[in-house]
Amino acid sequence: METKASSKGQIVIPAPLRRKYGIRRGTRIRISEEHGEIILRPITLRSVEQALDRLQGSLKGSGMLQELINERRRDREKEDAGWTPPRV
């Protein structure tokens, strides 16, 4: 897939990829550079849960893991209801 950058450097992520990775309006995307390539990583409930699963052993028994999952779930519910975070 290909896309063009606008005069402001903005790009459009094709719809099939947005659906596949759960990217919606307001989804935060981490941008990094690795080995001369630009990497876009959406920060979605799924990606947060996967990251937390990797940390589960170190957080086990602390209740932190469940609280982080609950917090992200509440954020997603707000987004689904049309709430958008204030612009910084």
Side-chain angles (χ1 to χ4, degrees):
M1 286 182 224
E2 255 182 49
T3 189
K4 282 190 200 178
S6 74
S7 62
K8 293 182 178 183
Q10 298 167 326
I11 61 167
V12 173
I13 300 171
L17 291 176
R18 292 194 312 266
R19 283 191 294 273
K20 180 177 180 178
Y21 292 99
I23 299 171
R24 297 176 169 175
R25 179 178 181 222
T27 298
R28 293 178 153 270
I29 298 178
R30 183 178 311 270
I31 302 170
S32 61
E33 180 184 5
E34 296 176 13
H35 310 290
E37 295 182 340
I38 297 170
I39 309 296
L40 305 176
R41 290 190 177 99
I43 303 171
T44 61
L45 178 59
R46 181 175 57 182
S47 69
V48 170
E49 286 177 340
Q50 289 172 346
L52 291 174
D53 284 345
R54 291 190 295 268
L55 295 173
Q56 189 172 12
S58 63
L59 297 176
K60 192 172 184 176
S62 70
M64 276 179 78
L65 176 63
Q66 191 58 49
E67 181 54 35
L68 289 169
I69 291 171
N70 292 342
E71 182 179 341
R72 184 59 186 116
R73 193 165 282 130
R74 286 189 299 270
D75 290 345
R76 174 57 67 191
E77 289 169 0
K78 286 179 183 177
E79 291 170 9
D80 289 345
W83 179 87
T84 55
R87 294 183 182 241
V88 179

